[in-house]
Amino acid sequence: MTGTETALGAPAERREGREKVTGTARYAAEYDRPGRTHAWPVPATVARGRVTGVDTAAALAQPGVLAVLTHENAPRLAEPDDATLAVLQDAKVPHRGWFVALVVAETPEAARAGATAVRVSYDVEPHDSVLRRDHPASYAAEQANGGHPGSTEHGDPDTAFASAEVRVDVEYDVPPLHNHPMEPHSSTARWDGDRLIVETSSQGTSTARDVLAGMFAMPAERITVVAEHVGGGFGSKGTPRPDVVLAAMAARHTGRPVTLTLPRRLLPSVVGHRAPTLHRLRLGAGADGRLTALVHDVTTHTSRVKEFVEQAAVPARVMYAAPHSRTVHRVAPLDVPSPSWMRAPGEAPGMYALESAMDELAGELGMDPVELRVRNEPETEPDSGKPFSSRHLVECLREGARRFGWSRRDPRPRSGRTGPLLVGTGVAAATYPVMVSPSTAAARALPDGTFLVQVNATDIGTGARTVVAQIAADALGVEPGRVRIEVGSSDLPYASLAGGSSGTASWGWPVHDACVSLAERLAGRSGPLPEQGIEARADTAGRADADSPYARHAFGAHFAEVTVDTVSGEVRVRRLLGVYAAGRILNARTARSQFIGGMTMGLGMALTEDSTVDAPFGDFAESDLASYHVPAHADVPSVEAHWIEEDDPHLNPMGSKGIGEIGIVGTAAAIGNAVHHATGIRFRRLPLTPDRVLTGLLAHESPAPV
Amino acid sequence: MGSQQHGGSGQDTAASPRHRSDTTLRVNGTPRTLTVDNRRVLLDLLREDLGLIGAKKGCDHGQCGACTVLVDGRRVNSCLLLAVALDGCEITTVEGLAGDGEELHPLQRAFRKRDAFQCGYCTPGQLCSAAGVLAEAAAGHPSHVTDPARPSGEPVPLDREEIRERLSGNLCRCGAYPHIVEAVEDVIP
Ligand code: FES
Ligand code: FES
């Protein structure tokens, strides 16, 4: 074969597959350095106040306990940009679960026993932790996550809505959600003289190194951060979390290597969560289905530590042509843990609400929901007026409808029934922005005919090693088997983090460029290569982050078939089908797994994943995997992902858009719409658990007298 | 040819002698005698004392299945079992699934072929659990979805529903479920 023709897009097997199936792949807690110790955090048990004392005597008396770090004795650090990392720096307790001490011991058992023995006393202040639509503390945010303006307005949406022929004015609630990657956040840290070496479960070690350099006031060159294998992140390991700071502090304090694995139950309070979002959607349309007004209001919460605004009204700026529109984010700072990124922040909850409202509008109009979306396809991006670099939403809808068998659907709600089961189908659209960040890479040709490509990509399960090798092989015109890849260490050429579905584009671009210039240099020379080979480097700064005259987004369409048990209220998904238009798909095998993984998380968002801020305590009631239900095998039957190849020259040299997040985006709405089709009842609060559905079914059978 | 070990570094100071016990296990065919902290669970013994990092710690509370290994051929959550209670038991971890040599176990090969994982953190548990499922079905153990009318004790055929039901104790946040089920189907005798 010639690499150029087949390396990109081929379903190459994961390069680290053997390590992962034999149990030799090493994750952050698995570096057993000589003399290693273990740490266990102590979380605050009050929602707001100050630590007035930490009694460490009983903890230190435990056999094997070496030290207890508190705000009184922990190393002083420079103030981080991300205030959630300023752990053990002062007595303040900004939310329940905030770490107030850290026990270091010879073994995990001793550390745990020590943490249980630490006695903390507090000055408690009254707290306020529960979000409401009319919360008096809420304000219109200047900016939402991702640097988006907090509010936008075009035309006169209020008048247009009031005079629309057909109107939908509805509210949806999405609860807080938790990333819960299967590998809990872990870090192993050690100091070697004035050097700091850290293995951490992070989505980006260049970023982690820079953050640590700032906080420990030392040059980045003296820090190495490694993330060889990472057990998932889904946003919650995007930037460093408190574990890595605590491990480095504890290693400095004790002079020993320290491993800190955050106990599962403590994750939701300290690693970020998807903030709850309360939506109000107003859609006005003509009888022909064309939108005349679109208003999306979002109310969400943030912590007292930092402002994070889930950008849930942002997709409404991209999706449909509506001459009059408004999008607003309101945020209430509460005494709650700090929210952060969870897979498709903004898009996932925002599109749940928008796509459910579109389904309601289709119902009001008596129009097919696929056709309604096609009819509102915009010519340019509604908010910016920019042309789309490529947009194949209509093709995704049509192709999905064909594959799913949509034309056989009886549009009448409650038209499908087998025994006690109501059967329904639903559709929703999806979108996710194209993001890419400047990165660098090096490519070296070696005398034995092989190549070494180095880029500090992070493989959190996406298959980064594999796809980077394909990109390199393609640019070099050689077999991927001749290309060795090094990723996952901050000592490698600087690269951006695995987040915002930007990894492959960001890392692949400099890899491609370095390999192209290396291939040119090889073509222009004869004779054997020097022993160390020859190397080419590339840096995409100034290009990857250049403004584009195009609006660049991936699109997709989701279809779902569900059954609703009229006896138990249980909703089960029979099949999920997604069709995506996300540029060029670079590895058919790993891409499919990412799409399916996103859809599975969307199934969880629709049916099983539910978290509540517990008013008296001020943090999450469902904090472990026994109470916070991520989908299990039995919840997930047939999930199919397909795609439409796009040829988009306005992206990057590979022509790819991100694929890690779009799979979750429309899934919950498609399932919710299918439940409506099955039952004739519109549930507007996620997740659709049996208690809620059964209550709805019973109220539907025997409505309360008016 | 057993080996006498004294736990991980510093173990001796982390529990007083009366809180430690000598325990002998056969791990992947090799006898191991260790003096272990009575609080130590099998998962930590494997990971910390024996350096067998294949079994993963996802929750430490029996809620995720990442720590699944086989004890005397049956799958268990190793985070829930005190090591000292397993004296004399035969433990198989993902490192021992294939036996000696370079060859992978058929399940391991099928997982690679089907791309039945992404991050890989749940994978060792899925593999051990799947190996346990095959044995349980062959031995006629019914599951929640097995037809109650089936004669007991006869091998239970594993269709997709059976596989999904029986593997539901092994969570995968990457959502590799459909591919895991395909991989297990591939090795059904
Ligand atoms: S670690 Fe044992 S079940 Fe989760
Ligand atoms: S492969 Fe990541 S949790 Fe299963």
Side-chain angles (χ1 to χ4, degrees):
Chain A
M1 69 165 235
T2 65
T4 331
E5 276 155 27
T6 53
L8 266 190
E13 265 191 30
R14 278 170 211 276
R15 293 198 153 203
E16 73 287 4
R18 188 176 178 97
E19 289 88 326
K20 284 182 175 171
V21 300
T22 54
T24 54
R26 205 169 281 278
Y27 298 77
E30 297 165 350
Y31 291 82
D32 192 7
R33 307 283 178 206
R36 170 170 72 159
T37 63
H38 297 265
W40 204 282
V42 179
T45 53
V46 302
R48 181 177 170 131
R50 297 184 69 77
V51 174
T52 53
V54 186
D55 180 355
T56 61
L60 288 166
Q62 289 282 327
V65 170
L66 299 166
V68 182
L69 278 77
T70 70
H71 70 278
E72 282 164 357
N73 65 356
R76 289 279 82 85
L77 305 175
E79 201 178 308
D81 288 341
D82 178 353
T84 64
L85 297 179
V87 276
L88 307 185
Q89 298 300 295
D90 59 33
K92 211 168 149 203
V93 176
H95 61 77
R96 193 168 194 268
W98 179 260
F99 293 152
V100 293
L102 183 78
V103 175
V104 188
E106 298 285 358
T107 65
E109 293 86 349
R112 184 182 61 207
T116 314
V118 172
R119 292 282 164 265
V120 184
S121 47
Y122 304 91
D123 248 352
V124 184
E125 296 163 25
H127 67 275
D128 175 9
S129 302
V130 177
L131 180 67
R132 307 190 307 267
R133 279 193 167 74
D134 59 351
H135 199 287
S138 73
Y139 58 89
E142 274 293 302
Q143 254 196 8
N145 176 50
H148 297 281
S151 304
T152 60
E153 183 159 319
H154 296 277
D156 181 355
D158 296 320
T159 307
F161 179 72
S163 59
E165 284 176 78
V166 182
R167 282 191 293 269
V168 164
D169 183 350
V170 282
E171 295 183 336
Y172 301 95
D173 293 6
V174 180
L177 297 169
H178 302 301
N179 311 59
H180 278 315
M182 288 311 303
E183 180 202 20
H185 296 58
S186 305
S187 297
T188 299
R190 70 193 155 104
W191 292 82
D192 181 5
D194 62 359
R195 283 190 58 76
L196 172 61
I197 300 103
V198 177
E199 289 91 16
T200 185
S201 54
S202 167
Q203 292 173 229
T205 56
S206 292
T207 308
R209 178 198 58 188
D210 294 348
V211 168
L212 290 171
M215 291 187 72
F216 286 84
M218 57 193 285
E221 298 74 56
R222 295 214 310 259
I223 304 178
T224 299
V225 182
V226 172
E228 199 185 349
H229 296 286
V230 180
F234 315 109
S236 73
K237 298 172 180 172
T239 47
R241 302 295 139 127
D243 55 293
V244 67
V245 177
L246 289 168
M249 279 203 289
R252 173 178 272 182
H253 186 85
T254 58
R256 301 264 298 268
V258 174
T259 292
L260 169 57
T261 293
L262 297 184
R264 175 64 62 183
R265 267 185 306 170
L266 305 187
L267 292 185
S269 300
V270 296
V271 305
H273 61 279
R274 193 196 299 288
T277 45
L278 309 177
H279 304 253
R280 181 177 180 196
L281 257 298
R282 275 168 282 176
L283 302 179
D288 61 356
R290 283 185 210 284
L291 288 168
T292 52
L294 190 174
V295 180
H296 193 167
D297 295 308
V298 172
T299 306
T300 184
H301 78 202
T302 190
S303 69
R304 307 271 182 202
V305 182
K306 66 176 181 184
E307 185 193 76
F308 178 93
V309 182
E310 177 93 12
Q311 73 273 32
V314 165
R317 302 171 186 173
V318 175
M319 284 304 294
Y320 300 115
H324 304 279
S325 68
R326 185 192 307 122
T327 58
V328 179
H329 297 87
R330 294 184 67 80
V331 61
L334 301 176
D335 302 302
V336 292
S338 296
S340 182
W341 308 301
M342 177 165 164
R343 204 171 203 166
E347 273 75 20
M351 286 293 277
Y352 162 67
L354 177 61
E355 291 301 291
S356 301
M358 285 295 279
D359 200 64
E360 299 209 41
L361 179 63
E364 292 293 324
L365 288 158
M367 185 177 280
D368 179 75
V370 170
E371 289 312 312
L372 175 65
R373 288 171 174 86
V374 172
R375 190 149 303 181
N376 285 288
E377 182 72 358
E379 272 167 26
T380 56
E381 186 181 53
D383 188 48
S384 69
K386 286 183 180 180
F388 288 101
S389 66
S390 55
R391 173 169 169 136
H392 292 95
L393 172 59
V394 171
E395 289 78 358
C396 291
L397 287 161
R398 296 261 190 250
E399 174 68 3
R402 186 185 69 76
R403 286 180 177 273
F404 190 78
W406 187 255
S407 61
R408 294 194 298 274
R409 177 189 200 240
D410 181 339
R412 291 169 303 154
R414 238 181 191 190
S415 53
R417 181 161 197 143
T418 46
L421 300 181
L422 302 173
V423 186
T425 54
V427 63
T431 185
Y432 195 80
V434 170
M435 294 194 243
V436 56
S437 298
S439 295
T440 64
R444 181 177 290 270
L446 297 163
D448 64 359
T450 64
F451 298 86
L452 173 63
V453 171
Q454 296 175 307
V455 57
N456 188 21
T458 314
D459 194 337
I460 56 173
T462 56
R465 287 173 180 83
T466 314
V467 75
V468 163
Q470 289 174 277
I471 292 166
D474 193 60
L476 290 163
V478 303
E479 298 248 13
R482 278 166 66 191
V483 182
R484 202 153 60 80
I485 300 292
E486 284 181 10
V487 301
S489 166
S490 65
D491 289 348
L492 296 168
Y494 182 96
S496 63
L497 54 90
S501 295
S502 71
T504 301
S506 304
W507 311 322
W509 192 338
V511 165
H512 170 273
D513 288 6
C515 289
V516 166
S517 56
L518 182 62
E520 281 165 7
R521 282 173 55 193
L522 288 172
R525 58 169 289 143
S526 52
L529 294 176
E531 202 184 322
Q532 77 281 13
I534 59 169
E535 186 182 81
R537 286 180 168 254
D539 184 346
T540 58
R543 293 181 290 148
D545 47 350
D547 273 341
S548 171
Y550 294 96
R552 302 183 294 189
H553 306 268
F555 291 91
H558 293 273
F559 293 80
E561 178 178 329
V562 303
T563 59
V564 180
D565 191 315
T566 51
V567 178
S568 68
E570 186 186 27
V571 178
R572 296 192 61 88
V573 170
R574 275 191 181 163
R575 53 192 183 116
L576 281 180
L577 187 148
V579 179
Y580 304 94
R584 187 169 178 197
I585 299 302
L586 303 179
N587 181 319
R589 175 189 301 257
T590 52
R592 173 163 285 117
S593 287
Q594 283 205 70
F595 287 133
I596 289 176
M599 292 163 78
T600 302
M601 205 177 273
L603 186 157
M605 178 179 171
L607 299 183
T608 62
E609 294 181 37
D610 195 6
S611 182
T612 36
V613 174
D614 196 0
F617 288 107
D619 76 349
F620 303 107
E622 299 84 358
S623 58
D624 63 12
L625 294 169
S627 50
Y628 184 83
H629 297 158
V630 311
H633 272 278
D635 299 316
V636 185
S638 157
V639 184
E640 273 183 51
H642 305 278
W643 50 85
I644 286 166
E645 285 289 342
E646 280 184 317
D647 188 5
D648 184 336
H650 309 297
L651 301 169
N652 56 55
M654 298 81 65
S656 61
K657 297 176 178 175
I659 57 172
E661 290 164 271
I662 191 165
I664 192 177
V665 171
T667 300
I671 292 172
N673 295 341
V675 169
H676 172 262
H677 182 232
T679 61
I681 305 165
R682 183 65 66 171
F683 296 93
R684 299 193 179 89
R685 182 169 166 213
L686 291 182
L688 307 179
T689 44
D691 52 333
R692 289 179 186 163
V693 173
L694 191 59
T695 307
L697 288 167
L698 293 174
H700 186 82
E701 306 303 332
S702 42
V706 186
Chain B
M1 6 152 267
S3 63
Q4 178 83 31
Q5 298 189 4
H6 284 279
S9 55
Q11 174 102 0
D12 289 346
T13 55
S16 65
R18 81 194 162 83
H19 296 132
R20 286 182 275 135
S21 310
D22 285 348
T23 303
T24 300
L25 308 167
R26 272 180 82 88
V27 181
N28 298 329
T30 307
R32 304 280 205 159
T33 299
L34 301 97
T35 306
V36 297
D37 187 326
N38 293 349
R39 298 169 294 186
R40 180 145 285 192
V41 291
L42 175 60
L43 176 61
D44 288 326
L45 178 139
L46 294 169
R47 289 167 63 82
E48 305 299 328
D49 296 324
L50 302 182
L52 293 171
I53 56 171
K56 299 300 182 201
K57 189 182 283 192
C59 69
D60 216 9
H61 280 68
Q63 302 167 350
C64 77
C67 62
T68 305
V69 301
L70 302 171
V71 172
D72 295 336
R74 300 190 57 161
R75 55 200 174 129
V76 298
N77 286 335
S78 63
C79 70
L80 292 182
L81 295 179
L82 292 170
V84 293
L86 300 174
D87 195 43
C89 287
E90 176 96 37
I91 316 294
T92 305
T93 70
V94 72
E95 290 93 339
L97 260 195
D100 294 337
E102 281 293 287
E103 272 292 290
L104 295 178
H105 185 280
L107 278 166
Q108 292 171 316
R109 282 204 300 275
F111 267 55
R112 290 194 69 185
K113 185 172 129 235
R114 294 287 186 175
D115 204 38
F117 51 89
Q118 294 193 53
C119 78
Y121 202 77
C122 74
T123 311
Q126 304 276 2
L127 284 161
C128 289
S129 194
V133 165
L134 295 176
E136 286 158 27
H141 297 192
S143 82
H144 175 65
V145 299
T146 308
D147 181 355
R150 280 193 68 77
S152 64
E154 281 180 24
V156 182
L158 290 175
D159 59 12
R160 288 188 174 196
E161 196 188 5
E162 281 278 4
I163 297 169
R164 285 198 289 262
E165 173 63 28
R166 290 169 189 259
L167 282 179
S168 281
N170 292 85
L171 300 179
C172 175
R173 193 55 162 157
C174 295
Y177 297 130
H179 290 169
I180 294 171
V181 172
E182 284 172 12
V184 174
E185 274 191 311
D186 284 351
V187 303
I188 290 171

